[in-house]
């Protein structure tokens, strides 16, 4: 049993943190109950984003993908119109971060109307979906609302998405929230997956992602 004495906790030898919860009963995202789904991060669609600086959006999305890869979450990338009319595909620098991601090319603006996309989501076996997309009020809002209506717990890291104006982004967020979608930020995903600082097997990697993408520091800097 852990006991705090004079403000300092005393731990047994080789303490590795609290036991992980049953992923099916955990109210929070965990490595065994969540999947990452990113929609339409394509150069020509990013060009239209005015609600957030592009460099910041790419930094935050990079951190989100690195987090999902690090904790071995199922990952789905979906882009639109590549096979249909030669549209530019998913941004290469983001796609390369997750070489094992499932990629779904669509014609539907609403990814949930694409059977291949829904099948890929179902194949993850996860009921918690971390979803991002460009633009907030269109290609993200439609499938996020559909997923929430289908019984999924949908979380949207708001600092990894954007739209053509602050108003359109805000309207998209409101519409999703009314449907039960939960707004978060990318750092919440990383913290929630780690959950306990005593889980030393993953703590150093988590710190590196935070340092590089949240604090914008050299991840090799000594840190305590």
């Amino acid at each position: 049993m852990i006991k705090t004495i004079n403000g300092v906790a005393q731990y047994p030898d080789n303490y590795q943190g609290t036991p992980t919860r049953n992923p099916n009963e955990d109210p929070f995202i965990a490595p065994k109950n969540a999947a990452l789904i990113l929609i339409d991060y394509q150069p020509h669609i990013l060009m239209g984003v005015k609600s957030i600086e592009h460099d910041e959006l790419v930094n935050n999305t990079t951190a989100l993908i690195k987090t999902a890869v690090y904790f071995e979450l199922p990952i789905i990338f979906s882009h639109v119109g590549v096979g249909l009319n030669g549209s530019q595909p998913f941004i290469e620098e983001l796609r390369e971060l997750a070489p094992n991601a499932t990629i779904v090319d669509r014609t539907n603006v609403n990814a949930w109307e694409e059977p291949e996309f829904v099948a890929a989501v179902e194949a993850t076996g996860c009921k918690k979906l971390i979803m991002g997309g460009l633009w907030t009020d269109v290609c993200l809002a439609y499938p996020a609302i559909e997923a929430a209506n289908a019984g999924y717990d949908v979380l949207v890291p708001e600092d990894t998405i954007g739209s053509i104006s602050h108003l359109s982004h805000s309207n998209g967020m409101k519409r999703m929230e009314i449907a039960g979608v939960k707004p978060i930020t990318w750092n919440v995903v990383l913290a929630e997956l780690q959950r306990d600082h005593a889980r030393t097997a993953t703590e150093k990697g988590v710190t590196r992602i935070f340092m590089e993408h949240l604090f914008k520091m050299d991840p090799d800097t000594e840190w305590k």
Side-chain angles (χ1 to χ4, degrees):
M1 179 177 176
I2 299 167
K3 188 176 180 62
T4 300
I5 300 174
N6 296 326
V8 179
Q10 310 298 309
Y11 300 99
D13 292 340
N14 300 315
Y15 181 72
Q16 292 294 307
T18 54
T20 57
R21 291 172 167 175
N22 181 329
N24 296 322
E25 299 174 356
D26 197 332
F28 299 106
I29 56 174
K32 299 298 183 182
N33 69 14
L36 175 65
I37 300 170
L38 298 181
I39 300 168
D40 295 354
Y41 287 76
Q42 297 165 254
H44 60 293
I45 300 177
L46 177 63
M47 284 177 58
V49 172
K50 306 298 182 185
S51 61
I52 182 174
E53 293 293 329
H54 292 185
D55 287 348
E56 188 67 14
L57 186 151
V58 171
N59 171 76
N60 296 342
T61 306
T62 296
L64 182 64
I65 296 171
K66 286 184 177 179
T67 296
V69 171
Y70 187 63
F71 282 96
E72 300 181 345
L73 270 58
I75 300 174
I76 299 170
F77 292 156
S78 184
H79 49 210
V80 67
V82 177
L84 179 69
N85 54 29
S87 292
Q88 298 177 81
F90 209 92
I91 296 170
E92 184 68 15
E93 68 179 281
L94 297 179
R95 190 177 63 79
E96 288 179 347
L97 296 170
N100 296 323
T102 297
I103 299 178
V104 178
D105 185 20
R106 316 182 323 277
T107 62
N108 276 295
V109 174
N110 177 5
W112 208 262
E113 294 184 60
E114 200 86 29
E116 183 185 8
F117 178 87
V118 176
V121 174
E122 291 173 346
T124 68
C126 299
K127 296 302 290 183
K128 296 184 184 296
L129 306 180
I130 304 158
M131 296 184 69
L134 308 178
W135 299 323
T136 308
D137 49 336
V138 184
C139 298
L140 172 60
Y142 301 154
I145 290 169
E146 294 255 37
N149 289 342
Y152 290 91
D153 186 8
V154 182
L155 301 98
V156 168
E158 191 174 353
D159 52 354
T160 67
I161 64 176
S163 194
I164 61 173
S165 68
H166 289 288
L167 177 61
S168 56
H169 171 78
S170 176
N171 283 345
M173 290 303 303
K174 289 176 184 176
R175 193 175 184 186
M176 287 189 284
E177 288 179 54
I178 289 170
V181 175
K182 302 177 179 71
I184 55 172
T185 49
W186 78 261
N187 63 294
V188 171
V189 178
L190 184 55
E192 210 158 298
L193 290 170
Q194 174 64 22
R195 201 79 65 86
D196 191 324
H197 292 293
R199 294 173 184 165
T200 55
T202 51
E203 177 71 6
K204 285 187 177 180
V206 166
T207 299
R208 287 183 64 87
I209 295 173
F210 270 134
M211 289 186 69
E212 184 176 3
H213 296 285
L214 183 63
F215 302 119
K216 311 293 178 63
M217 294 172 61
D218 182 348
D220 293 319
T221 301
E222 286 295 324
W223 180 265
K224 276 195 173 182

